[in-house]
Amino acid sequence: MTQQEIAAILKAAGIENATWEARLLFEALSGEALTRAVERRKEHYPLQYILGEWYFYRECYEVSEDCLIPRSDTEILVDVAIKMLPNGARFLDLCTGSGCVAISTLANRTDTVATAVDLFPKTLALAKRNASKNGVSSRIDLLCHNVLTPPPEALANGSFDAILSNPPYIRNDVVPTLQREVGFEPSAALRGGTDGLDFYRAILEKWCVLLKPQGLLILEIGYDQGKALQDLATEFGFSSTVKKDFGGNDRVVILQK
């Protein structure tokens, strides 16, 4: 199967960047594995899961159905963290998934340490492999815990300079309407409750006790959630700044006392 034939098959299946994806598949795979991969992609199974790894920020990540696929918009969160974290910062990454937020921040701020939290053991195992792959294992602790509940006793005496998070923030009723590829990603990493704000409320109500007095919250948000997050910030005594993504939509909110 030639690269041109693959591109034609993907284009006929409605894959937007068919030529580019055909090149990636053709360069990564061959023979029967390539044929199977094209068949899967034709059914809109995510390219990232087929390849098994994906680049995010300046790092490369193992990806699977156990994690949300790292997206370029989330690089804005990492960029803000790298610039704003104080020297020698200790930070929390809640709903860590593949670990990309914590790991890329650590990789580009070698003076920092992190604790990354996720609910699912398989997801944390993936994040652990990614930490090793990107050379930050010695500076990250991984913790299995539900972010919708109060922090575990293990963190009770913790004093963090910042909380980072790209939590589930899509309204439950919107999730079924998303593009076909998203249907293969873990729904728990997408569903943010009836109004999409469940995790933000939990972080503000339950986890901010772990912040130092001048601590930061740096959170990814949905394109239409800027006003709602600013209202929540005011309710909990934080000032807020909203950063936009590459498409001009609200994407990251920075909260400070």
Side-chain angles (χ1 to χ4, degrees):
M1 190 183 299
T2 67
Q3 186 174 321
Q4 290 74 22
E5 287 171 336
I6 297 168
I9 291 168
L10 297 184
K11 188 174 182 180
I15 303 298
E16 280 186 24
N17 300 308
T19 302
W20 176 68
E21 291 201 13
R23 179 172 62 80
L24 290 180
L25 290 169
F26 189 77
E27 289 175 353
L29 302 164
S30 62
E32 188 62 33
L34 177 59
T35 302
R36 285 198 306 270
V38 173
E39 287 300 311
R40 296 186 89 189
R41 187 64 188 117
K42 193 170 74 172
E43 297 303 316
H44 289 255
Y45 187 76
L47 173 71
Q48 295 89 337
Y49 291 161
I50 292 170
L51 296 174
E53 64 179 23
W54 200 245
Y55 283 90
F56 172 88
Y57 209 73
R58 297 168 182 158
E59 290 69 48
C60 185
Y61 289 88
E62 177 187 340
V63 292
S64 73
E65 289 185 15
D66 292 318
C67 74
L68 199 67
I69 294 163
R71 287 164 167 82
S72 58
D73 283 337
T74 304
E75 294 181 356
I76 297 163
L77 194 166
V78 173
D79 220 29
V80 171
I82 289 167
K83 291 171 183 171
M84 293 193 69
L85 288 175
N87 292 337
R90 181 171 179 244
F91 67 88
L92 269 173
D93 176 31
L94 304 180
C95 307
T96 197
S98 65
C100 65
V101 168
I103 292 165
S104 283
T105 301
L106 290 169
N108 292 277
R109 277 291 305 270
T110 57
D111 61 318
T112 62
V113 296
T115 297
V117 182
D118 203 278
L119 177 59
F120 302 102
K122 283 186 177 180
T123 307
L124 280 174
L126 179 68
K128 184 177 182 179
R129 293 194 296 275
N130 280 326
S132 177
K133 181 185 182 80
N134 287 289
V136 301
S137 292
S138 64
R139 293 188 287 124
I140 188 169
D141 292 322
L142 297 159
L143 184 64
C144 191
H145 192 78
N146 185 352
V147 171
L148 292 174
T149 66
E153 286 188 14
L155 294 181
N157 298 321
S159 189
F160 292 90
D161 295 284
I163 294 174
L164 315 183
S165 186
N166 176 19
Y169 58 68
I170 298 171
R171 292 199 328 263
N172 290 352
D173 65 316
V174 172
V175 172
T177 71
L178 300 173
Q179 66 184 91
R180 284 171 64 185
E181 282 83 351
V182 178
F184 294 98
E185 296 186 73
S187 64
L190 300 167
R191 294 177 178 271
T194 305
D195 62 358
L197 303 176
D198 283 3
F199 282 84
Y200 302 113
R201 276 190 287 265
I203 291 168
L204 286 163
E205 289 172 1
K206 301 176 171 71
W207 290 81
C208 282
V209 295
L210 300 178
L211 277 178
K212 290 180 180 178
Q214 302 303 315
L216 290 166
L217 285 142
I218 308 173
L219 311 171
E220 180 167 329
I221 60 174
Y223 73 94
D224 58 352
Q225 292 176 323
K227 171 81 165 56
L229 262 293
Q230 288 187 302
D231 290 345
L232 269 178
T234 301
E235 184 182 330
F236 284 88
F238 286 90
S239 63
S240 58
T241 305
V242 176
K243 297 275 188 185
K244 295 190 180 294
D245 62 21
F246 306 114
N249 297 310
D250 292 346
R251 188 57 60 193
V252 169
V253 65
I254 304 156
L255 308 184
Q256 271 181 302
K257 286 288 187 184

